[in-house]
Amino acid sequence: MEWYLKVLKNYFGFSGRARRKEYWMFVLISTVISIVLSLVDLGIGTFDEETGSGLLSTIYGLAVLIPTIAVSFRRLHDTNHSAWWLLIVLIPFLGALFLLIVFCFDSKEDNQYGPNPKAIPDDNAEIEA
C-alpha cells in the first residue's frame, strides 16, 4: 500500500524514475480498487450496461488517470526509454504487449533520467527486511 500512496503523493511527477515494484504495486492496487468499485456500482445500481462502467469506478478512473500516466513515464525512464514510447500503445494489441514487456525490464545503472532508484535507500527497506 505504501507504493500506491507514494505514486499518489507524486501526482504530477513526470520526471525521474520508477522501480518495477513501484509501478506494479500501483497497478495491482489500482486494479483491485477498480474491481471493487465496479462491484459496488453494480450493487447500488449505478452501473450502466450500455457503457460498461459505473459512476464510482468512472470517478476513480478519472482521479488516477494522471498518476497512472506519470508512473508510466517514470517507469519508461527507468528502462532508459523516452516517455514518448508510451504512444506505442496506440498500436492495437502489439503496442500494449510491447509496453508490458518493457515495463518488466530491470534497470541496473544510472541514466539520463536520474540515478538508479534501487541504489537510493528508501523508507520501505525496514518493512521488506
Side-chain angles (χ1 to χ4, degrees), residues 22-85:
E22 178 182 349
Y23 177 79
W24 289 112
M25 291 304 290
F26 177 77
V27 169
L28 174 68
I29 293 171
S30 187
T31 301
V32 169
I33 291 172
S34 293
I35 291 170
V36 168
L37 288 175
S38 292
L39 293 174
V40 170
D41 278 332
L42 196 57
I44 63 174
T46 58
F47 186 80
D48 185 8
E49 303 254 344
E50 190 174 304
T51 62
S53 64
L55 179 66
L56 296 176
S57 57
T58 300
I59 291 171
Y60 175 75
L62 290 173
V64 297
L65 178 65
I66 292 174
T68 302
I69 294 170
V71 77
S72 298
F73 272 41
R74 293 193 311 270
R75 183 69 201 125
L76 283 167
H77 289 167
D78 192 45
T79 59
N80 206 20
H81 289 85
S82 168
W84 286 103
W85 278 93

Side-chain angles (χ1 to χ4, degrees), residues 86-100:
L86 196 59
L87 292 176
I88 202 166
V89 78
L90 297 174
I91 300 171
F93 184 69
L94 293 176
L97 181 64
F98 175 79
L99 277 182
L100 174 68

